[in-house]
Amino acid sequence: MGLNDFRRDRRQFNRLNHRLRTLLLILSAVLIVISVALAVTLFIYVLNIASNPSAAKTLVDQWSSIFLDSSVSPSGASGAAPSPFNGPARWLAVITLIVLSYLLIRIPLLMLQMGTQLMMSCQEDNRQLRGFVQQVLQELRNEENNVPPPPDAG
């Protein structure tokens, strides 16, 4: 009975292990595809901003207007809003956009690295498990050979 239970449990474990490995491989493939698509999208967006100076100027103007204090209104008769080209708001916008672009570029690269590591770990799992089992069996054999015979009770 014990041997049949052991074989049944082992088959169930192998099926669950195979399903888990398949699920992780699918997850890693999806993660890799999403990261590549995100990287291409970000590359096209950054290339568009870099090749079109008016788009870059508009983006910096929008961000610098965020940093301007809206409560300060000009006291002049013209009633014009403060220019986003004046003051430290423009420099703060440029620095913020550079930091955000660096972080946005890192996200797809990290996702790609995570997906490839997950895929590699799923493929190497069987080899590592076999190596571990072989080491354990080898240690057990060595221990059985090194055990001295029990002393005679007589």
Side-chain angles (χ1 to χ4, degrees), residues 5-6 15 36 40 46-47 50 53 68 71 73 86 103 108-109 112 119 127-128 137 140 146:
D5 290 339
F6 178 73
R15 276 185 274 161
V36 168
V40 167
V46 169
L47 183 65
L68 286 175
S71 65
S73 61
N86 298 335
L103 293 175
L109 295 176
L112 182 65
M119 187 174 284
R127 283 181 250 147
Q128 290 176 350
L137 289 175
L140 288 174
N146 293 336

Side-chain angles (χ1 to χ4, degrees), residues 1 9 26 50 52 57-58 74 82 86 103 110-111 115 126 135 147:
M1 257 319 213
D9 291 342
I26 291 170
N52 190 357
K57 181 180 174 292
T58 305
N86 298 335
L103 293 175
L110 291 173
M111 286 173 58
N126 217 2
Q135 288 176 355
V147 173

Side-chain angles (χ1 to χ4, degrees), residues 121-152:
S121 69
C122 287
Q123 292 173 352
E124 293 177 358
D125 184 45
N126 217 2
R127 283 181 250 147
Q128 290 176 350
L129 183 63
R130 284 186 193 148
F132 176 72
V133 170
Q134 286 176 354
Q135 288 176 355
V136 169
L137 289 175
Q138 195 173 37
E139 287 179 16
L140 288 174
R141 287 183 194 133
N142 289 340
E143 286 178 8
E144 287 176 359
N145 292 337
N146 293 336
V147 173
D152 287 331

Side-chain angles (χ1 to χ4, degrees), residues 8-24:
R8 181 181 42 107
D9 291 342
R10 184 173 176 155
R11 282 192 303 267
Q12 286 178 349
F13 175 75
N14 285 337
R15 276 185 274 161
L16 290 174
N17 192 15
H18 180 68
R19 288 179 187 162
L20 180 65
R21 187 176 297 142
T22 304
L23 178 70
L24 290 176

